[in-house]
Structures are given as C-alpha cells and as structure tokens.
Amino acid sequence: MISLDVSVDAQAAGRAAAVRIGQLIEAMPRAVIGVATGSSPLPVYAHLARLVADGLDVGEVRWFALDEYVGLPPRHPASFRHVLERELLAPLGADPALLHVPDGSARDLDAAAADYERDITDAGGIDLQLLGIGTNGHVGFNEPKTPFDSRTHPAWLAPQTRQANARFFGGRVEDVPRRCLTQGLATIMRSRAIELIATGAHKAAAVCCAVLGPVTVECPASVLQTHPDVTFRLDVAAACQVQVSAPSEPNDGTADSP
Ligand code: F6R
C-alpha cells in the first residue's frame, strides 16, 4: 500500500523522509539503509546531516546504494559511489567503509550483481530503502518492462534516462554510460520499508501511474502498490495528479526543526 505525504516544497518533503530515517536509526543503530542518487534525495541528505549535528549517531549504520553506472572510472565525480561519499557520507561524518555500491567496473557484471545481492542478504536485508522515480516510472535503474521478479542485475539505461542524467555530465548525453548495475524490483520489494521522494511537476505523471495506474511492468514503480509499507514524499507539484487536499506543513519557516 502506498501512503502519500504531500509537503509544500522539496525541502519539506526531504525533511519528512529524513525524520523517518532518523527515527529508524535511533531505534536501530545498525540499521541497513538503501540510498539513491540523483537530485531528489539531496534534501533528505541535507536534513539528515542536521539531525547528526543535533546528536543523531549514524556511526554504525550500513548504507547500500541502489545502483551504479558501468564503465565510469572509479573516481569519476558522477559515479554513484563518489556522489554518495560526497553528498551523504561526508556531511554525516560517516565511514566510507560502511557504504556498499555495486561494482560497476567489474569484468563479470553478472557475478558482481550476484555478489551485491548476497551482500544485502548477509547484512540482514534492507530496513529502509530510499527511492527517487524517473519520469518514465523507473525505480533504481529498472526501466519499463523490467520483470517484477528481478534481483540485482546489469541493465541498459533508457534514452530518456540518459537524457535526464546528462546534467551530471556537463550536459553531454554522449558521456552518460549506457549500462548500469541496479538492484532489481524484487530486491527493492524485499526492503522492509520504502520512502520514495518525488518533487516537481515533471514527476506528476509518473507518480500518478505509480499510485493510481494498473500494476504493470510498463510503469515499474507501480509494483510498489503491492508492498506493505511505502510512503511517497511529494511536493505539491508532483502530487497534483493524485491529491486534492492541502499539503501537510505550512511554508512559514516554522517547520525547520525535525
Ligand atoms: C538513482 C536512481 C534513479 C533516480 C531517478 C530520479 O540512484 O536509481 O531511479 O532516483 O532517475 O532521479 P532524480 O532524482 O535526479 O530526478
């Protein structure tokens, strides 16, 4: 079942997700958190850093990336390992050794995918997975038509996804890798709880398909309708096709602290 939480803006949506993650970490200091890259989670990571500044201890949290490009040099600034070290771990003061990322430079990608799936299992499974959503309804890099029973696997990026991500490669779509390793839809569905962030009017149609559409591989995120604990954290623009009531927080600056 998907719960909707609509906030006035992206910052407030990110704060709401960060508060939930913070509460989980307080209750379970060794929690396993699945983390996404892209623009959507950045406000979450910024607010998590505030919670850490206010005393939240993330020293034992295990972090698992959702996906990684294939073929980027290890220290490329757009590689997801690099992005997560920069945007998540460094502001939190967390140990990079506790970050797991699929090995996109492996010679044998199938073996690297199987290793990653095993690493997640060995860690006890993901307690909470943070997701974004693509404008075509992808989650992770599970593009339309990805089977619902997929585990971590090598995948091809849709042209629409490469175009959207060109902004992380100086606007050069030709520099965006064509392949990736991604948690599969079944891997994501095994997470005990899921927080999905979608902000901006360009996400409204994908959110609508995911929440209200049929459960179909044409919209990979629609599979989340069959998960018991999913919250979509939306801003008003992303929610405009699924929601009619007022957003949950005032935009008057009073909600800055968790
Ligand atoms: C990122 C990922 C993708 C993004 C999605 C939205 O690790 O797996 O599914 O979450 O492409 O990206 P943004 O947030 O940049 O719009």
Side-chain angles (χ1 to χ4, degrees), residues 36-41 66-67 80 132-134 138-141 167 203:
T37 52
S39 301
S40 307
L66 193 50
D67 38 26
F80 289 168
I133 185 170
H138 72 224
V139 285
F141 278 141
R167 67 193 195 281
K203 297 293 175 74

Side-chain angles (χ1 to χ4, degrees), residues 189-206:
M189 290 291 285
R190 272 200 311 165
S191 307
R192 286 181 269 282
I194 294 174
E195 292 271 318
L196 184 147
I197 308 282
T199 53
H202 63 302
K203 297 293 175 74

Side-chain angles (χ1 to χ4, degrees), residues 141-143 146 153-159 161-162 177-182:
F141 278 141
N142 296 285
E143 303 286 16
T146 304
H153 63 285
W156 294 93
L157 273 64
T161 303
R162 294 183 64 234
R178 292 172 191 277
R179 298 194 81 193
C180 63
L181 282 175
T182 181

Side-chain angles (χ1 to χ4, degrees), residues 80-93:
F80 289 168
R81 172 173 287 283
H82 202 98
V83 169
L84 288 166
E85 287 181 0
R86 188 176 67 229
E87 304 290 351
L88 175 67
L89 300 187
L92 263 46

